[in-house]
Amino acid sequence: MATTTATTTTVLYCRDPLNERRADAHFAPEARQLRAAGGTALLIDHDALLAGDAERAVARVPDGTGAVWYRGWMIPSGHYAALDAALRRRGGELVVTPEAYRRAHELPGWYETFAGLTPVSGWLPAVPGAVPDPEGLAALAAGLPPGAAVVKDYVKSRKHEWDEACYVPELADPAALHRVVARFVELQGEFLAGGVVVRAFEHFVTPRAVASEVRVWWRDGVPRLVTAHPDSPVAEVPEASFEPALGPALGPVRAAVEALACPFVTTDLALRADGVWRVVEVGDGQVSDLHREADPAALIHLLTADQAPLHTPDPSGTTPA
């Protein structure tokens, strides 16, 4: 695997759809911090990549760039492989290989490695617009614990349409399961990723004044940063320091991350009602969003600096050392 330093780190960002010379506004603060740290920010055309034109997507990437990270909007695994191939034809390559990206990005790639740490799940491959038949869904449900479940695809859920396209109150009700899955597939449309996943529902606590779900950022198997989940209304993570709150829980998670063997991973953890921290999602760090109140310098430090101990962002916004 390629190594990077503070002076040679190169990151590909999605360009602004209205200005090909500027990073997308969502990632512009990170790009500025990268340049301030001595790194190089290059731009790709995300729309062209998703349209199947990887060569046009990397048209502004100079030849001979070597190993590069990506930080931007989600990319389907097949298109990510096309991006890597296009870069290789120009003398570049993604630090995170297409194989590693798929392993961390899609639930079937990471699920077995995290078994026991995450809700019991099953899945069926499906193409956009194709709803699995009721019999197949019933067989899938039979492999899960009885009770409620949630529906998602290999990458995303539709939790904001909870009752109609995410939550199944009782897996023993095949009509309800099929109805929720059908609505989920309909709403995902062309963006359905890989297939349909059904996961056992677990009750998580919602503490006051702190995030109910936290995102741990791992670089080469080492926990480097913790932030609130991007959907959290508050930026504070449990306890003033992450270690007392989740230190014991990170041991098993760290072992799983190391076994996954991907260079840049995020794990989203939530506290179950019985006091056990659970992994609710794993992702590739390149396409994992940062909480709006988190300091982008902390993320750039993760990519540009040597290994360092886990830390939480300073709520004041001060750049970490």
Side-chain angles (χ1 to χ4, degrees):
M1 184 176 63
T3 58
T4 56
T5 68
T7 58
T8 62
T9 300
T10 301
V11 181
L12 303 180
Y13 289 99
C14 299
R15 73 169 179 85
D16 188 322
L18 302 179
N19 187 338
E20 64 180 16
R21 298 179 179 275
R22 185 172 59 195
D24 185 290
H26 190 79
F27 301 98
E30 287 185 28
R32 288 193 294 271
Q33 291 291 343
L34 175 67
R35 296 187 186 100
T40 300
L42 300 176
L43 303 178
I44 65 167
D45 187 334
H46 185 263
D47 291 338
L49 182 62
L50 295 194
D53 193 345
E55 292 297 333
R56 181 161 65 92
V58 301
R60 295 184 62 84
V61 178
D63 291 344
T65 54
V68 299
W69 298 95
Y70 169 73
R71 272 293 294 165
W73 302 116
M74 285 187 177
I75 302 175
S77 297
H79 289 81
Y80 185 90
L83 172 62
D84 185 65
L87 289 170
R88 287 177 182 275
R89 288 190 286 270
R90 290 171 167 263
E93 63 178 321
L94 289 160
V95 174
V96 180
T97 67
E99 296 76 17
Y101 177 81
R102 182 184 291 272
R103 199 158 62 246
H105 184 56
E106 297 182 350
L107 183 141
W110 58 261
Y111 177 76
E112 292 299 331
T113 306
F114 285 81
L117 302 174
T118 194
V120 177
S121 306
W123 56 87
L124 291 170
V127 297
V131 181
D133 60 68
E135 293 76 16
L137 287 173
L140 186 67
L144 273 66
V150 294
V151 171
K152 65 189 294 293
D153 63 19
Y154 286 8
V155 177
K156 297 284 287 185
S157 70
R158 298 196 69 90
K159 60 187 178 184
H160 299 298
E161 292 97 4
W162 182 256
D163 291 325
E164 61 174 318
C166 186
Y167 181 66
V168 181
E170 179 52 65
L171 281 173
D173 183 348
L177 174 60
H178 188 263
R179 182 175 62 252
V180 172
V181 169
R183 182 58 171 155
F184 172 79
V185 171
E186 177 188 1
L187 291 175
Q188 284 295 84
E190 64 180 303
F191 298 107
L192 182 77
V196 171
V197 176
V198 180
R199 284 165 68 74
F201 177 76
E202 297 186 2
H203 291 274
F204 298 110
V205 299
T206 305
R208 291 186 177 183
V210 296
S212 59
E213 189 172 330
V214 296
R215 175 162 288 177
V216 184
W217 302 73
W218 305 77
R219 167 80 186 277
D220 297 327
V222 177
R224 297 285 304 279
L225 176 68
V226 59
T227 62
H229 187 276
D231 292 340
S232 173
V234 294
E236 290 288 340
V237 297
E239 303 291 342
S241 168
F242 189 67
E243 290 288 358
L246 291 179
L250 279 188
V253 178
R254 181 169 186 160
V257 171
E258 290 175 347
L260 193 65
C262 296
F264 188 20
V265 174
T266 55
T267 54
D268 295 339
L269 282 76
L271 189 62
R272 200 166 58 188
D274 61 0
V276 176
W277 285 97
R278 300 286 279 166
V279 175
V280 294
E281 194 66 73
V282 176
D284 181 87
Q286 298 177 114
V287 295
S288 297
D289 203 6
L290 195 64
H291 192 276
R292 61 191 176 279
E293 294 183 31
D295 185 358
L299 180 62
I300 295 305
H301 184 76
L302 182 157
L303 292 177
T304 59
D306 292 333
Q307 299 286 355
L310 175 72
H311 65 275
T312 54
D314 186 329
S316 69
T318 304
T319 301

